[in-house]
């Protein structure tokens, strides 16, 4: 892993052992930056404050071995990455402005892809994880993870039924609590629909009536105009001497017909005069019919205006301005559908009630299955963790799980009792620790010291390593609060874990560092203006000096050197 411009680290290369790597150094030297770098490669949050002062960006690059066909390799290839001989190259860049970029196998990818790979590649544990283990929810998650398919199977079904029950309960609550509002809405809809039905409007009727009202209102003027036009075209029978258009056109036509044989051009005009004569006759006939059929009945006009007033009243109440009766008919159709829905509420309430009761029964069975699976797994899990604690200088400690439920009359039935339930079942899971014989089991949040909690955390992770392994484990000062023999045992147990997985530990304890296959020293120098850190692989005499410093604060103390050499010899003998 190469780190550039991250925190106090200017430019450093970190070479991790395939087995157990210990990262040591003075407080503030930048050990945590090594953990932070790995976190960035695994999709951690990009904080621009991490960028070294004066630099434009921080860059972390890593080379990770991923077997072909492994889930991480498959996901990387789906993202377009290329693997070279089972090696995956990952890089993460964080700018001082806060922008972040990620690359896998030479291909730019969303940062979320790194997080997906992290789940398959590395288990990271620090002091914050210890605090997390104090929360019952995290303890339940740990137990469920250990139980595997025995819990995940019924939990998947339970979660689906729980979500559906929440949805049904919400809809049922809305239907019942808003019953009065919905009844009022139904009454208003019925009134409106009855009012519209009483008028019985037709589509386009308002336009037709407006046209008819206009005609009836001006009947005399229309009749007079039609009569004058008819006289102009066909003449007045009572005035034989009068001249009309039809007579004049006919005379002109006859004159042209008489000479048409002498000129084809004039013959064409004569034909057109004939057409005009026919057209004038048609118009004159239609004008006569229009005048005869024109209804000037004032009673009909009154009826039309009354009908228009009724339609206008509907439009004002139920329509949109400018849309006329069409909007009223649309409102009527929508209102009828809504009324049908509201009138079906009672049926819907009955259906939902039946479904709710069925879902509660289903949840009861699934919650019971979860309780049974957790109870069985808890015994095995507690026994395995207790065994691990024996090898971590806690030979008399006992770990157990308390699995219980809280009674709730509105809950589901589990074990013959009606208990509260949630998205993960009805169980309240709590990890208990009895640190020595005669001590009552107490929640680890109350009964474990800092050093004991560190060892419980490590024991839990070691147990997980046997059931749900990942290739790499990173522990950031999980040995806090531990010393003496317990520290030696932690170092020994980490070395054992490193035989089947890669283990990286940031530690202040020489007893732990001595068991590492490789020890990295993070140290910083100050040139007066810029702090630079380097990461060095310690071997031989350099490693003895660092362990001496960790033991006594003095690299050249003969006593510390002897103790350091003894620790290394013990570790080699165990290996």
């Amino acid at each position: 892993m190469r780190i550039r411009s991250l925190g106090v680290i200017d430019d450093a290369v970190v070479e991790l052992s395939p087995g157990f790597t210990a990262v040591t150094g003075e407080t503030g030297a930048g050990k945590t930056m090594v953990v932070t770098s790995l976190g960035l490669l695994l999709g951690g949050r990009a904080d621009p404050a991490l960028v070294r002062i004066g630099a434009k960006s921080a860059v972390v690059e890593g080379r990770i071995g991923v077997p072909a066909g492994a889930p991480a390799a498959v996901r990387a290839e789906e993202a377009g990455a290329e693997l070279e001989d089972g090696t995956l190259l990952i890089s993460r860049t964080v700018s001082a402005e806060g922008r972040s970029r990620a690359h896998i196998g030479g291909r730019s990818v969303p940062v979320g892809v790194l997080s997906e790979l992290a789940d398959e590649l590395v288990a990271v544990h620090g002091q914050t994880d210890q605090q997390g283990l104090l929360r019952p929810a995290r303890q339940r998650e740990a137990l469920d993870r250990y139980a595997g398919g025995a819990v995940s199977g019924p939990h998947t079904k339970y979660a689906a039924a729980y979500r559906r029950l929440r949805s049904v309960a919400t809809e049922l609550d809305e239907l019942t609590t808003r019953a009065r509002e919905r009844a009022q809405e139904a009454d208003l809809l019925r009134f409106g629909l009855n009012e519209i039905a009483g008028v019985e409007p037709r589509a386009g009727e308002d336009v037709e009536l407006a046209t008819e009202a206009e005609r009836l209102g001006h009947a005399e003027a229309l009749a007079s105009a039609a009569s004058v036009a008819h006289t102009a075209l066909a003449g007045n029978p009572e005035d034989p001497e009068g001249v009309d258009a039809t007579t004049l056109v006919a005379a002109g036509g006859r004159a042209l017909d008489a000479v048409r044989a002498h000129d084809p051009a004039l013959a064409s005009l004569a034909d057109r005069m004939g057409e005009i004569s026919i057209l004038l006759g048609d118009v004159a006939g239609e004008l006569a019919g229009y005048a005869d059929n024109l209804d000037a009945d004032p009673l009909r006009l009154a009826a039309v205006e009354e009908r228009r007033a009724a339609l206008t009243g509907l439009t004002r109440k139920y329509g949109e301005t400018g849309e006329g009766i069409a909007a009223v008919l649309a409102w009527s159709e929508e209102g009828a559908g809504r009324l049908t829905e509201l009138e079906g509420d009672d049926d819907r309430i009955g259906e939902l009630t039946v479904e709710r009761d069925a879902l509660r029964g289903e949840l009861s069975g699934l919650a019971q299955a979860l309780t049974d699976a957790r109870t069985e797994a808890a015994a095995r899990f507690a026994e395995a963790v207790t065994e691990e604690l024996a090898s971590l200088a806690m030979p008399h400690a006992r770990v157990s799980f308390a699995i219980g439920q809280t009674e709730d009359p509105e809950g589901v039935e589990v074990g013959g009792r009606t208990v509260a339930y949630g998205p993960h079942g009805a169980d309240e899971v709590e990890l208990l620790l009895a640190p020595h014989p005669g001590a009552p089991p107490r929640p680890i949040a109350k009964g474990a010291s800092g050093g004991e909690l560190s060892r419980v955390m490590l024991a839990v992770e070691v147990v997980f390593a046997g059931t749900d392994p990942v290739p790499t484990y990173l522990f950031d000062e999980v040995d806090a609060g531990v010393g003496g023999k317990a520290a030696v045992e932690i170092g020994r147990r980490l070395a054992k874990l490193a035989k089947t997985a890669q283990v990286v530990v940031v530690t202040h304890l020489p007893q732990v560092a001595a068991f590492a296959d490789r020890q990295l020293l993070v140290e910083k120098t100050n040139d007066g203006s810029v702090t630079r850190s380097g990461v060095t692989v310690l071997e031989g005499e350099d490693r003895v000096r660092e362990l001496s410093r960790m033991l006594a604060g003095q690299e050249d103390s003969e006593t510390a050197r002897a103790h350091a050499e003894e620790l290394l010899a013990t570790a080699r003998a165990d290996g």
Side-chain angles (χ1 to χ4, degrees):
M1 183 168 61
R2 184 177 184 184
I3 309 167
R4 285 178 288 172
S5 301
L6 187 72
V8 297
I9 298 180
D10 179 39
D11 192 343
V13 175
V14 179
E15 299 178 9
L16 304 177
S17 165
F20 181 4
T21 301
V23 181
T24 63
E26 293 278 7
T27 300
K31 298 187 299 299
T32 301
M33 286 298 105
V34 175
V35 178
T36 301
S37 299
L38 190 54
L40 286 173
L41 285 183
L42 300 174
R45 187 174 69 88
D47 185 352
L50 295 173
V51 179
R52 185 176 175 81
I53 296 175
K56 293 182 178 179
S57 61
V59 181
V60 182
E61 301 167 307
R63 181 184 294 112
I64 301 178
V66 182
V74 173
R75 181 66 187 94
E77 289 171 346
E78 288 174 352
E82 295 183 3
L83 277 73
E84 299 179 5
D85 300 326
T87 298
L88 185 62
L89 299 178
I90 300 179
S91 71
R92 181 84 179 276
T93 303
V94 180
S95 72
E97 290 79 26
R99 293 188 301 274
S100 172
R101 291 179 295 158
H103 291 80
I104 300 177
R107 179 64 61 90
S108 177
V109 298
V111 173
V113 175
L114 300 184
S115 301
E116 294 175 26
L117 296 179
D119 294 337
E120 304 291 341
L121 295 174
V122 181
V124 181
H125 297 284
Q127 295 187 53
T128 55
D129 296 276
Q130 291 186 27
Q131 297 305 311
L133 191 62
L134 298 177
R135 299 200 302 269
R138 287 292 298 274
Q139 294 168 17
R140 178 192 52 72
E141 290 172 8
L143 176 59
D144 288 355
R145 176 184 165 194
Y146 177 81
V151 165
S152 64
H155 187 278
T156 300
K157 297 178 183 177
Y158 177 94
Y162 179 82
R163 288 192 297 271
R164 177 57 188 161
L165 177 58
R166 289 289 298 272
S167 175
V168 167
T170 299
E171 185 178 355
L172 193 56
D173 183 61
E174 180 184 356
L175 289 175
T176 53
T177 58
R178 294 185 55 205
R180 176 178 296 180
E181 296 176 22
R182 297 169 79 89
Q184 292 173 345
E185 183 184 358
D187 286 343
L188 290 174
L189 285 171
R190 287 191 196 94
F191 178 84
L193 291 170
N194 289 335
E195 187 173 10
I196 294 171
V199 176
E200 296 183 340
R202 292 183 294 102
E205 183 182 4
D206 51 342
V207 177
E208 295 173 6
L209 290 173
T211 302
E212 185 178 0
E214 186 73 12
R215 185 171 64 251
L216 290 170
H218 298 82
E220 291 184 6
L222 292 171
S224 175
S227 177
V228 170
H230 180 268
T231 299
L233 293 179
N236 185 351
E238 297 180 359
D239 184 12
E241 300 298 327
V243 179
D244 59 83
T246 302
T247 301
L248 293 174
V249 171
R254 287 193 298 273
L256 292 176
D257 282 337
V259 294
R260 65 183 298 159
H262 304 296
D263 187 350
L266 194 61
S268 175
L269 293 174
D271 291 339
R272 290 169 66 186
M273 285 290 284
E275 293 172 1
I276 293 172
S277 181
I278 294 171
L279 181 59
L280 286 174
D282 289 344
V283 173
E286 290 185 20
L287 285 171
Y290 176 83
D292 292 340
N293 294 326
L294 188 62
D295 186 2
D297 184 0
L299 293 178
R300 174 57 186 167
L301 177 59
V304 168
E305 292 296 351
E306 184 179 354
R307 179 66 175 172
R308 291 185 70 199
L311 295 180
T312 301
L314 292 181
T315 303
R316 197 177 297 120
K317 286 184 179 181
Y318 308 108
E320 294 289 337
T321 303
E323 294 186 15
I325 208 65
V328 174
L329 294 173
W331 183 93
S332 177
E333 183 178 354
E334 293 176 5
R338 176 60 175 164
L339 183 59
T340 299
E341 178 185 333
L342 292 172
E343 289 177 339
D345 278 354
D346 289 342
D347 294 337
R348 182 60 178 157
I349 288 174
E351 293 171 2
L352 290 173
T353 302
V354 170
E355 184 178 4
R356 181 198 62 189
D357 294 343
L359 285 168
R360 288 168 68 90
E362 182 182 354
L363 280 182
S364 292
L366 292 168
Q368 184 67 64
L370 284 173
T371 299
D372 294 342
R374 284 171 177 152
T375 301
E376 188 277 330
R380 292 186 289 109
F381 191 18
E383 184 179 353
V385 173
T386 298
E387 237 177 82
E388 283 298 326
L389 289 177
S391 65
L392 293 174
M394 294 178 68
H396 304 298
R398 293 289 179 271
V399 166
S400 60
F401 277 95
I403 300 178
Q405 299 84 28
T406 300
E407 293 195 9
D408 182 351
E410 301 297 322
V412 296
E413 186 173 326
V414 176
R417 297 185 302 143
T418 303
V419 299
Y421 64 99
H424 303 289
D427 301 320
E428 297 170 358
V429 177
E430 194 158 35
L431 184 61
L432 308 178
L433 173 68
H436 52 79
R442 300 181 64 195
I444 59 172
K446 301 176 181 177
S449 65
E452 289 169 340
L453 183 59
S454 297
R455 281 175 280 177
V456 172
M457 179 75 185
L458 178 57
V460 166
E461 195 54 60
V462 169
V463 171
F464 281 149
T467 58
D468 185 22
V470 292
T472 300
Y473 294 88
L474 173 62
F475 296 94
D476 182 13
E477 299 188 14
V478 294
D479 49 19
V482 177
K485 181 181 179 182
V488 174
E489 295 303 330
I490 287 178
R492 183 176 283 120
R493 193 61 190 85
L494 289 169
K496 183 178 179 182
L497 178 60
K499 293 185 183 300
T500 55
Q502 183 181 42
V503 176
V504 181
V505 179
V506 177
T507 182
H508 286 288
L509 295 180
Q511 298 95 325
V512 172
F515 281 88
D517 300 308
R518 175 175 295 169
Q519 184 172 348
L520 301 180
L521 173 64
V522 180
E523 56 184 348
K524 64 180 178 180
T525 59
N526 195 326
D527 60 6
S529 59
V530 179
T531 301
R532 299 175 182 271
S533 284
V535 181
T536 308
V537 178
L538 298 179
E539 296 178 349
E541 181 62 23
D542 290 336
R543 188 172 185 186
V544 172
R545 285 173 57 82
E546 172 63 7
L547 289 175
S548 299
R549 181 199 64 77
M550 295 172 72
L551 282 163
Q554 303 176 26
E555 295 90 338
D556 300 323
S557 166
E558 290 299 325
T559 303
R561 286 176 59 84
H563 191 182
E565 290 171 351
E566 182 182 0
L567 281 175
L568 287 170
T570 300
R572 292 192 199 98
D574 282 2

